[in-house]
Amino acid sequence: NGDGRNDRFRVVTAAIFEQFQMIIMDRWGRAVFETNDQYEAWDGNYRGAPLQMDTYFYMIKMKCYRNDKPVVTKGDVILVR
């Protein structure tokens, strides 16, 4: 809603990843946001236009320098405007 609180969705960590991928999808599986930059955040827009309030799904794949296997985290985020 532009109040400066929770306006962006991103990974918050002190770790630096060797590999990183975050994908945000709508309920039909269409990717509305994708990044390989662990510091980049999703602002609730798709191609510069605000998305409607809904539940979106994320998949985050990350690999630390010390680990052999990537870790995959999945979940949902509710977009409220």
Side-chain angles (χ1 to χ4, degrees), residues 27-62:
R27 64 176 60 228
W28 297 278
R30 176 183 63 163
V32 296
F33 178 80
E34 186 170 355
T35 186
N36 292 317
D37 180 350
Q38 75 180 75
Y39 302 107
E40 191 173 0
W42 178 54
D43 61 2
N45 294 328
Y46 177 64
R47 295 185 178 174
L51 288 167
Q52 63 182 332
M53 292 192 308
D54 205 344
T55 301
Y56 294 85
F57 304 92
Y58 64 84
M59 182 189 72
I60 301 170
K61 185 177 183 180
M62 53 203 150

Side-chain angles (χ1 to χ4, degrees), residues 1-9 42-44 79-80:
N1 64 3
D3 66 359
R5 294 178 27 194
N6 298 318
D7 289 338
R8 303 175 144 276
F9 180 79
W42 178 54
D43 61 2
L79 179 62
V80 178

Side-chain angles (χ1 to χ4, degrees), residues 1 13-14 16 22-23 26 28 38 41 44 54 60 64-65 71 75 79:
N1 64 3
T13 181
I16 298 174
M22 179 169 69
I23 302 171
D26 64 14
W28 297 278
Q38 75 180 75
D54 205 344
I60 301 170
C64 289
Y65 286 99
V71 174
L79 179 62

